[in-house]
Amino acid sequence: MAYTALNLITDVLLDMGVIADQETPTAAQSAGALVKLNDLIESWNIDPQKLYGATQYIIPFVANQASYTIGSGGDLNIARPNNISAAFVRSTSQAVSQQQDIPIAILNDQQWSDIPVKGQIGTYPYAVWFNMTYPLIVAYITPIATSTNYSLVFWDNNDNATLSLSTTLVLPPGYKRALKYGLFLELAPGYQIPVPAEITTLAATSKMSIDRQNLQINTLETSGATRYDILSNTVRDVQ
């Protein structure tokens, strides 16, 4: 039997004592709990440790176009990403089996600001700056691509979608438990129900479990005399 968002809400309200065994939530209770559940998921979507996968998106380059908007109604018409984790340039002139992926640097605000000439042109870019504006993200590339045989490929870690009551929850191990106890904490104040210490502990340990499961440690590789700047996330040679 499919386990839906309504099933999760029912389980939580039952554990809270708001409804009795074999009862179902009222329409108002379900709607209110769904808002809190989606608020909880939205907060998880900006926490990389809560995200368990990534979705790949592709923006074909337009000759001499310096920037591309990403989001609803943008050049790439998708839900606005929250966490762009990686990117590269893909050569698309060959057959799919022979297409090559070319590394591209993702610049932070300061690194983009430090580029003296931003209007240079080239076959394909070596760097991209994602200006995380709202509601549209703007991706600026350098140099500006003159060839349409390349695309910008990036990964978005925003995998937790907005739920409806009928949404079937298909989640990795540990997520249902974490959502259940997280929702308990979200709903308890509204019902003026004190949260038992064991529920607080279960909510914390459940979140810690999925944090550990999703933890990715990046390797910093350097050669020669180099210095790492933690503020700008850059490595430079030391003379």
Side-chain angles (χ1 to χ4, degrees):
M1 179 180 176
Y3 189 83
T4 65
L6 179 58
N7 294 139
L8 177 69
I9 289 168
T10 302
D11 287 348
V12 173
L13 293 178
L14 181 61
D15 287 350
M16 294 173 63
V18 175
I19 60 175
D21 192 22
Q22 305 302 318
E23 285 187 344
T24 57
T26 65
Q29 289 172 332
S30 299
L34 183 65
V35 171
K36 293 291 187 181
L37 179 57
N38 279 317
D39 286 346
L40 177 62
I41 289 173
E42 183 179 16
S43 71
W44 284 17
N45 277 337
I46 58 175
D47 181 356
Q49 294 301 102
K50 299 296 185 295
L51 301 170
Y52 55 84
T55 303
Q56 177 180 281
Y57 294 105
I58 301 175
I59 304 177
F61 287 138
V62 176
N64 301 315
Q65 183 168 323
S67 64
Y68 300 83
T69 53
I70 304 169
S72 180
D75 294 318
L76 182 62
N77 187 16
I78 60 172
R80 181 187 181 277
N82 285 326
N83 183 33
I84 296 175
S85 58
F88 53 85
V89 171
R90 174 166 291 165
S91 173
T92 57
S93 59
Q94 305 88 359
V96 173
S97 61
Q98 297 177 330
Q99 290 179 357
Q100 295 182 333
D101 294 335
I102 306 165
I104 187 172
I106 299 179
L107 305 182
N108 60 30
D109 297 357
Q110 184 60 55
Q111 290 169 326
W112 177 257
S113 177
D114 289 342
I115 295 176
V117 180
K118 298 177 174 64
Q120 294 184 50
I121 61 173
T123 305
Y124 58 85
Y126 63 80
V128 59
W129 172 49
F130 293 102
N131 188 7
M132 302 298 286
T133 47
Y134 190 89
L136 295 176
I137 296 170
V138 185
Y140 294 89
I141 57 174
T142 186
I144 300 167
T146 57
S147 172
T148 58
N149 293 328
Y150 297 88
S151 296
L152 176 66
V153 182
F154 69 88
W155 298 88
D156 172 29
N157 282 356
N158 182 358
D159 270 358
N160 297 314
T162 302
L163 307 178
S164 68
L165 291 173
S166 60
T167 301
T168 299
L169 300 181
V170 182
L171 299 167
Y175 274 80
K176 187 177 79 171
R177 185 171 184 260
L179 280 175
K180 178 179 178 181
Y181 292 118
L183 183 58
F184 192 114
L185 299 183
E186 294 281 333
L187 292 177
Y191 286 100
Q192 298 183 334
I193 294 174
V195 179
E198 58 268 26
I199 296 296
T200 302
T201 300
L202 286 169
T205 56
S206 298
K207 287 199 296 182
M208 288 173 59
S209 294
I210 61 177
D211 284 351
R212 287 194 299 268
Q213 176 176 293
N214 295 332
L215 178 64
Q216 296 188 33
I217 300 176
N218 295 323
T219 301
L220 175 63
E221 297 181 355
T222 63
S223 60
T226 58
R227 178 174 294 169
Y228 175 66
D229 184 342
I230 193 172
L231 297 178
S232 63
N233 190 31
T234 58
V235 177
R236 64 181 179 85
D237 293 332
V238 179
Q239 303 298 328

